[in-house]
Amino acid sequence: MTITPKQLLKILVDKQVITQTQANQYEVESLKKNEPIDQYLFNQTTLKKSDILAAIASILKVNFIDIVSVAVDIQALGFIPESISRRYDIIPVSYNPKDEMITIATSDPFNVTLFEFLEKKTGKKIVPVLSYLPDIKKTIETTYVQSLSPEVKEALREVSPINKRTVESADLLIKEAPITKIVNTILEFAIRSRASDVHIEPEETKTRVRYRIDGILHEKLSLPKGIHEALVSRIKILSGMKIDEKRIPQDGRFGFKLTDEEVDLRVSTLPSVHGEKVVMRLLKKTGGLPTLAELGLRGTQYRDLQEAITRPYGIILVTGPTGSGKTTTLYSILTNLNTPSVNIVTLEDPVEYQIAGINQVQINPQAGLTFANGLRAFLRQDPNIILVGEIRDKETTQLAIQAALTGHLVFSTLHTNDAATAIPRLIDLGGETFLIASVLNAAMAQRIVRRICPNCKKTYTPVEEIQNNIKEVLGNLLPVAYRTGQPILLTKGVGCNQCSNSGYFGRIAIFEVLKITSTINKMIIQQNSGKEIENQAKNEGLITMKQDGYLKVLDGLTTIEEVLRVAET
């Protein structure tokens, strides 16, 4: 069925996606280039693919799907061989066992011959949905390579009878081998895709598996609901949990090795409406910790932090929300300071990385081992350096200050939004201002942004509004070349197989390091607000997180969208 320019553009105008003026311009331009209107809109405009596809689907009277934003159902994938997907540029999206219906994404939903052939081959009803051809090709490349192996697809067939009823303990014993394969493959994919967390979430009709890759959750797998309990039980057995206790949350831990990579998995279960949800945090045991420079510290920030951590005593605070990389930064600092001539002790909740040569203790409130009690015991262990996982109450605050006053170097974390706010927070937690002023070496805040994929990065000139914003935020920090009128060039990833079409690969932190000068010391004693302290620090050369992020944007390490996502104030 042929789509005329007027048909497509009229729908886009009616839906207020474009104006009539733009519609007229696009029609003329597509005729000049002798390019079909749909291809012109995809390739030459900034319109969303989903808007264009919705308009085309409306004309063709079919459904559409943005294949990049959905997880492919593994059962559906098992019905269509990879060779057929590649040959006909189709990808199975989902399978409805009740109606025995497979939904297929295609750029040609009217290829009746193909769908009749697939119905005969699979014995299932085929429902085509419209999708963007380049996205289908990319999804074929990533899905068949990265998804569950043929052995696990076979395992799904083996466990399919348990779809009909609740899994009993006997079933678990009978089906142990195929369930083991499924768990192993989920973990293998997590390691290969550099995931930090795996979420196994039961829903009414299926179980979805999501992976947190570079800080963002991606739905990658969809499994039959019938195997959910067997899957959870297998993970519980590995983690040393009670498999018959499903009413309360549980925590556990186990190790997993894939060739030369070894990870520790911290496992948490949580009862939900449709069953138990499982979250597994992956902690690498191989590969070592990144250095401060690899984390993203450089220039004056690196120098100020190095100066603070090389003092023989005092407190260094790292602040930021959960998941901002505070623990990794602290471990990196401790690794830097870890020599045979110093005694380093840590008190954590929980111990995430195990470092040789450092005495690490996990708190256990049920047994009476809290941050405060542990810190009190540490002072009798002849330490040089102490890491307290978090300062969260008055007793811990006062003990940390006391430890610093008696000649120890103390590291800890606080949940505040920026470095300057850490000082009023310490005062709120019961710290005396004159004591804080005498022991605080530095306060540091951080966030994590995604790195641009080096394999598919390209430069572009941003719109004038963004260029002006960069100049305004950076001020005197703006590189000299851009002050003389040279246009600002930024970098972004266009998406490739290496980065799963996200345009990002890996992460880097953005920082602000508040150096405690004599002026700021006086402001602490006078109990000035965090904002007043920050303004004074800026006058003394403080680089804020947003400025550090923008400098990394100019260096082509990340994008302005990433910086604004985590550091907009």
Side-chain angles (χ1 to χ4, degrees), residues 406-473:
T406 52
H408 304 93
L409 190 59
V410 180
F411 293 91
S412 193
T413 68
L414 273 180
H415 286 288
T416 62
N417 288 327
D418 53 48
T421 316
I423 295 164
R425 179 71 180 132
L426 267 187
I427 297 169
D428 286 344
L429 286 168
E432 295 286 352
T433 53
F434 65 94
L435 294 178
I436 294 170
S438 62
V439 299
L440 190 61
N441 290 357
M444 174 175 152
Q446 67 178 77
R447 301 286 188 278
I448 297 179
V449 293
R450 291 180 289 173
R451 277 181 179 268
I452 296 168
C453 174
N455 193 50
C456 62
K457 67 190 322 185
K458 71 170 188 178
T459 56
Y460 71 99
T461 305
V463 296
E464 191 176 344
E465 186 183 352
I466 291 176
Q467 297 204 37
N468 291 337
N469 178 248
I470 291 171
K471 290 173 184 176
E472 182 187 340
V473 168

Side-chain angles (χ1 to χ4, degrees), residues 27-63:
E27 185 174 3
V28 172
E29 290 294 326
S30 67
L31 289 169
K32 280 183 185 176
K33 291 179 178 288
N34 195 25
E35 195 172 12
I37 187 63
D38 55 338
Q39 293 307 310
Y40 173 81
L41 294 175
F42 281 128
N43 300 329
Q44 308 296 333
T45 72
T46 56
L47 297 181
K48 289 181 182 176
K49 290 196 302 276
S50 55
D51 289 334
I52 304 168
L53 280 170
I56 294 170
S58 172
I59 295 166
L60 299 178
K61 293 185 171 50
V62 295
N63 291 326

